[in-house]
Amino acid sequence: MDNHSPAKQTTFYAIGLSYKKADAEIRGKFSLDATAKTNLLKQAKSNGIESLIVTSTCNRTEIYGFAQHPFQLIHLLCENSSGTVEEFQKYAYVYKQKEALNHMFRVGTGLDSQILGDFEIIAQLKNAFVESKKHNLANPYLERLVNSVIQASKKVKNETEISSGATSVSFAAVQYIFKNVEAISNKNILLFGTGKIGRNTCENLVKHSKHDQITLINRTKDKAEKLAKKLNLVVKDYSDLQIELQKADVVVVATGAQNPTVDLDILNLKKPLLILDLSIPKNVNENVKHNPLVTLVHMDHLSEITDETLENRKQFIPAAEEIISEVLTEFLTWSKGRKYAPTIHALKAKLNAIKESEINHLKKKNADFNEEYTEIVTAKLIQKITSHFANHLKDDNTVVDESVEWINKVFQIENQKH
């Protein structure tokens, strides 16, 4: 297969790990908060990496970028997380070139999501690209690629029903609560953490249950107050967490903390408590299970919930894959053209230089020389000749590098960068 990277010495890779092979504990080790992502980007820049983006969500942590060897990217991930190279080798994956591109498209269109059709990842990819651009780590190839993935994501969302209804971890959490908690409208629900998953869960709970007995707690109170104002809910201080845990029947934990924030010591319970931990790394210590009144459910268990809606979505996978194939083919055509375009431009310039030389020579020899007519004819000839070469280079059976080298040699064109 042709090398589709913009520089000969580097290759495009996708490296990382996801819910498919790595459980929540392992994913937690490799998860990257905002500071870790920034440090990783700075380190990549100082290491001479040309272009990359990094994403870290509850379901996956991935790096997409150019390297001479994938270990350069693996090293960056392990250096900036608490995961080891040995763990990476056991649980992670490395995709190269077209496989890497295909993987990125599947991730961005919700086909690789823990819950089929979950499109939240596309916003993460957009944000990751913006961050990389700030650090001058986003070359035109990566920019075009991210835009192509966004385009495919929109088409899949608009032209198939793979994302009909709610399609996320927050949706699964709400489904679980409704199926497992009787008389939910009479129960007290505590939401601890107002990150994206927490907000979405809260909005789904309010929307589906018209529930007014939801209390919000967040380390940064003003964030909780913004959400509470929007949904007309109660906010309590972080210092009230222990008291509110005693009052609650259901607790949804969705904080961005790197260590557990809820453990056995702060649970002084008088009644059963269902705890849903939607955080990566886990934010609820497993020791809470020692309290017989506690039921602890993690997001990995939630994703196993399949209802009729989720099952129905599977029939739209082929249509989504067709869209991916179409947009990916367009991207590869652009990418291939990008490799030979400098040579075609140089060939055109060379032929124009020969034309100018010949016209000047004829003008000196012939006083009646019709320069305007000659310009029109020769310009058409040059256009036809370069089009023939361009069509040859576009052909799927053409080995672009060899042909470019041959054209450069025959027309004595200096090696073009591509």
Side-chain angles (χ1 to χ4, degrees):
M1 195 199 91
D2 285 326
N3 184 329
H4 293 290
S5 65
K8 279 187 180 179
Q9 70 273 24
T10 58
T11 300
F12 183 72
Y13 292 102
I15 69 113
L17 68 168
S18 74
Y19 68 93
K20 285 186 175 178
K21 203 173 172 185
D23 63 18
E25 191 178 339
I26 294 294
R27 296 203 306 279
K29 287 186 179 183
F30 285 93
S31 72
L32 303 164
D33 60 16
T35 305
K37 282 183 202 172
T38 301
N39 291 339
L40 188 152
L41 291 172
K42 285 178 180 173
Q43 193 178 334
K45 191 70 183 166
S46 65
N47 288 358
I49 296 286
E50 179 194 351
S51 185
L52 63 73
I53 59 173
V54 56
T55 62
S56 188
T57 71
C58 53
N59 291 334
R60 65 183 69 249
T61 297
E62 294 182 324
I63 297 174
Y64 298 93
F66 294 95
Q68 291 171 328
H69 191 280
F71 187 73
Q72 290 172 281
L73 305 180
I74 296 165
H75 178 72
L76 281 172
L77 178 56
C78 295
E79 284 272 296
N80 291 282
S81 70
S82 54
T84 65
V85 173
E86 290 73 26
E87 285 167 327
F88 183 92
Q89 287 170 334
K90 191 173 179 183
Y91 297 104
Y93 42 78
V94 174
Y95 297 117
K96 180 180 178 181
Q97 301 292 45
K98 196 169 179 182
E99 273 191 351
L101 295 172
N102 198 50
H103 176 70
M104 190 172 178
F105 272 86
R106 289 184 71 84
V107 169
T109 54
L111 289 191
D112 202 69
S113 296
Q114 195 166 19
I115 295 172
L116 180 64
D118 182 352
F119 277 87
E120 288 182 12
I121 185 68
I122 198 67
Q124 297 273 358
L125 285 170
K126 285 181 192 174
N127 294 338
F129 178 76
V130 169
E131 285 305 308
S132 290
K133 206 161 188 178
K134 283 181 194 170
H135 291 83
N136 293 317
L137 279 164
N139 64 9
Y141 179 95
L142 194 60
E143 184 159 13
R144 179 78 176 227
L145 174 57
V146 170
N147 285 333
S148 294
V149 173
I150 292 167
Q151 181 194 347
S153 173
K154 282 178 184 170
K155 279 175 79 80
V156 169
K157 201 167 190 178
N158 295 334
E159 296 175 23
T160 77
E161 290 177 47
I162 208 160
S163 63
S164 55
T167 58
S168 60
V169 170
S170 53
F171 164 68
V174 173
Q175 290 281 97
Y176 184 89
I177 291 167
F178 288 157
K179 284 179 182 175
N180 293 277
V181 180
E182 286 181 24
I184 185 68
S185 56
N186 301 321
K187 305 289 193 218
N188 292 323
I189 300 174
L190 172 63
L191 175 69
F192 178 34
T194 54
K196 189 167 184 183
I197 290 178
R199 289 198 309 273
N200 289 350
T201 304
C202 194
E203 285 173 11
N204 278 329
L205 280 168
V206 171
K207 186 165 69 178
H208 294 294
S209 66
K210 307 297 179 195
H211 205 285
D212 59 356
Q213 288 172 281
I214 301 175
T215 302
L216 304 184
I217 292 182
N218 196 55
R219 283 170 183 268
T220 317
K221 195 177 180 182
D222 63 337
K223 284 185 181 176
E225 283 172 341
K226 277 180 194 170
L227 182 61
K229 192 176 178 184
K230 181 182 169 187
L231 301 173
N232 194 24
L233 303 172
V234 177
V235 177
K236 295 285 183 176
D237 289 321
Y238 179 57
S239 56
D240 294 326
L241 180 62
Q242 198 163 351
I243 298 161
E244 291 304 318
L245 284 167
Q246 285 178 46
K247 293 182 189 173
D249 298 291
V250 178
V251 179
V252 177
V253 182
T255 76
Q258 292 299 298
N259 296 301
T261 49
V262 176
D263 62 22
L264 186 64
D265 295 341
I266 63 169
L267 297 181
N268 183 21
L269 305 179
K270 305 278 192 299
K271 58 180 177 177
L273 179 64
L274 169 63
I275 304 177
L276 273 65
D277 187 359
L278 309 185
S279 311
I280 292 288
K282 289 180 178 179
N283 273 196
V284 180
N285 196 316
E286 292 287 322
N287 66 13
V288 299
K289 291 179 182 174
H290 295 156
N291 188 320
L293 292 169
V294 170
T295 302
L296 175 62
V297 177
H298 195 266
M299 63 160 57
D300 282 2
H301 302 299
L302 291 174
S303 67
E304 290 163 13
I305 299 166
T306 54
D307 65 7
E308 222 174 298
T309 313
L310 291 171
E311 281 300 311
N312 284 342
R313 285 187 195 132
K314 289 180 182 175
Q315 66 181 294
F316 301 106
I317 291 174
E321 285 174 338
E322 204 172 308
I323 290 168
I324 289 173
S325 176
E326 177 192 315
V327 181
L328 179 53
T329 300
E330 283 171 14
F331 174 78
L332 290 172
T333 302
W334 169 85
S335 173
K336 195 174 181 184
R338 195 165 171 262
K339 291 188 76 180
Y340 64 70
T343 296
I344 293 297
H345 290 315
L347 173 61
K348 204 167 195 173
K350 183 79 174 183
L351 293 173
N352 276 317
I354 294 168
K355 177 195 80 171
E356 291 298 325
S357 172
E358 287 302 309
I359 286 176
N360 287 335
H361 179 66
L362 289 167
K363 270 163 58 179
K364 286 174 188 173
K365 284 193 164 189
N366 188 349
D368 299 327
F369 181 68
N370 188 333
E371 187 177 348
E372 192 181 340
Y373 180 72
T374 308
E375 277 284 351
I376 294 167
V377 173
T378 51
K380 282 188 175 178
L381 280 170
I382 288 170
Q383 186 58 44
K384 281 186 182 292
I385 292 165
T386 51
S387 291
H388 274 287
F389 279 104
N391 289 335
H392 166 73
L393 290 167
K394 282 178 190 173
D395 193 296
D396 288 341
N397 298 317
T398 299
V399 180
V400 177
D401 290 332
E402 284 179 15
S403 292
V404 163
E405 195 180 335
W406 180 84
I407 293 166
N408 289 341
K409 197 176 283 185
V410 170
F411 289 94
Q412 297 174 331
I413 299 167
E414 284 184 30
N415 250 345
Q416 301 299 311
K417 282 188 178 181
H418 53 274

